Amino acid sequence: MVDITHKSATLRKAIAMATVLVSSENTVRLIEQRQVPKGDIFEFARASALLAIKKTGDMIPDCHPLPVEYAAIRYTVAGLQIHIEVEVHTIYKTGVEVEAMHGASVAALVIYDMLKPIDKQVEIGGIRLLEKKGGKSNESLPWVAALKAAVVVCSDSVTRGEKEDISGRLLCDLLEKQGLHDIAYAVIADETSAVQERVEHYGQAGIDLLVFTGGTGLSDRDITPDAVAPYITKDIPGIMETARQYGQQRVKTAMLSRGISGFADRMLVLTLPGSPNGVRESIGALFPQVLHVFEVRENVGH
């Protein structure tokens, strides 16, 4: 099965539709008057669709079992067509479009089975996804390419040439995948003056997003959050709280990171851990949602 351990649980919704076509108005009349010999087709199909939604992970090999937190089945009769609309919600790491389509398809089969004794020409039409919401695939932020970003690696050993920088280069690659292309890059020692010089320099240069990696731990040389804090004019604690929560679900020691985040005037500053995994997990936890702060900055709103 596809690895979704790196994803975050978010509200996801899907609506699917299936169509059943009958051959005569007499069939429609029997349906509407609840006179189909096998029973009320709508209630039987509704119950079967709910069961199908919950059993999708058992029937479709690559579908992950997930918590179904809401499901609804709606019917519309239009001429000789019965439209079955199935809506499913979850708060999870992957979407529910297959669950909705599975529910719609089984509801259509149940209606077909119940109508075939009285209508030999009944048909099942198309089964299709009408709507999908939630998850990163729904994010559309074309204006991100216009943002200017900077990545700063805080590391004594990299500065001295004793170690190769991995986290900073990884961070640049991950930001590019988020649509950011104008990215400055620097390596500095774990010194308060060096960190603050970078904050001042990039603030004057009109950088929109400044991301530090390294120096967020508990050693005497981990001073990045302390050096950045005086420049934060609007604290946004929820950003790094989200990153720590995401990381702690994977590595328990993520709770020890002291990273902070907020606006330094108009520049968003993030202080991420120095390890490649810490960088990867932080970006996975925060992006692309965190980029909406720039719309808020311009008073566009959420």
Side-chain angles (χ1 to χ4, degrees):
M1 297 173 71
V2 174
D3 184 3
I4 60 171
T5 56
H6 63 284
K7 293 187 176 182
S8 298
T10 58
L11 175 60
R12 297 163 188 264
K13 303 178 182 181
I15 301 175
M17 177 180 282
T19 301
V20 177
L21 178 65
V22 301
S23 65
S24 71
E25 293 181 1
N26 182 59
T27 302
V28 174
R29 181 182 58 79
L30 292 174
I31 292 169
E32 293 178 336
Q33 295 178 1
R34 304 299 194 267
Q35 293 180 351
V36 174
K38 285 192 172 186
D40 187 334
I41 68 167
F42 295 136
E43 292 309 312
F44 273 94
R46 186 190 313 278
S48 298
L50 292 172
L51 291 172
I53 290 166
K54 291 185 282 188
K55 289 291 186 180
T56 301
D58 294 335
M59 301 302 298
I60 312 297
D62 196 42
C63 277
H64 297 79
L66 50 75
V68 176
E69 306 200 20
Y70 171 79
I73 293 85
R74 299 181 285 268
Y75 303 102
T76 304
V77 178
L80 299 181
Q81 293 185 336
I82 303 167
H83 298 297
I84 308 158
E85 192 175 276
V86 175
E87 182 172 352
V88 183
H89 299 183
T90 188
I91 297 177
Y92 198 58
K93 301 177 182 181
T94 189
V96 284
E97 58 268 29
V98 177
E99 282 73 11
M101 294 178 74
H102 188 214
S105 65
V106 169
L109 282 169
V110 170
I111 290 175
Y112 174 91
D113 178 65
M114 295 182 72
L115 292 181
K116 67 182 181 181
I118 63 171
D119 190 335
K120 301 303 181 183
Q121 280 81 46
V122 63
E123 298 179 3
I124 295 176
I127 300 168
R128 64 188 188 278
L129 183 67
L130 297 181
E131 185 178 305
K132 172 186 174 183
K133 291 183 178 179
K136 293 185 178 181
S137 62
N138 283 117
E139 299 288 343
S140 178
L141 308 173
W143 46 265
V144 169
L147 297 176
K148 295 181 179 180
V151 168
V152 178
V153 179
C154 300
S155 171
D156 290 334
S157 57
V158 174
T159 302
R160 292 194 297 262
E162 298 170 358
K163 262 176 60 176
E164 181 184 355
D165 170 44
I166 298 175
S167 298
R169 296 298 183 186
L170 172 62
L171 182 51
C172 290
D173 290 341
L174 293 174
L175 291 177
E176 285 184 358
K177 290 178 181 177
Q178 296 296 330
L180 292 150
H181 301 297
D182 188 355
I183 305 174
Y185 169 84
V187 177
I188 62 173
D190 288 311
E191 300 286 354
T192 298
S193 59
V195 172
Q196 294 184 341
E197 187 277 332
R198 287 292 91 187
V199 175
E200 293 174 5
H201 170 76
Y202 288 126
Q204 294 170 4
I207 292 293
D208 298 291
L209 173 64
L210 171 57
V211 187
F212 289 94
T213 172
T216 62
L218 297 171
S219 76
D220 291 341
R221 298 292 291 172
D222 289 329
I223 48 79
T224 304
D226 311 279
V228 169
Y231 292 87
I232 298 298
T233 54
K234 184 170 289 186
D235 186 28
I236 315 177
I239 293 177
M240 296 314 299
E241 288 170 5
T242 297
R244 275 187 285 271
Q245 181 185 40
Y246 180 98
Q248 197 167 353
Q249 290 175 340
R250 293 151 180 83
V251 181
K252 291 301 182 183
T253 52
M255 64 182 176
L256 302 178
S257 174
R258 298 189 306 117
I260 64 172
S261 56
F263 274 112
D265 295 326
R266 292 179 58 81
M267 179 174 65
L268 178 65
V269 183
L270 308 178
T271 58
L272 307 187
S275 70
N277 279 342
V279 166
R280 188 177 291 108
E281 289 172 1
S282 296
I283 297 300
L286 303 177
F287 285 78
Q289 293 85 355
V290 73
L291 295 172
H292 284 291
V293 300
F294 297 109
E295 289 184 303
V296 179
R297 183 187 68 178
E298 303 301 329
N299 296 316
V300 174
H302 292 284

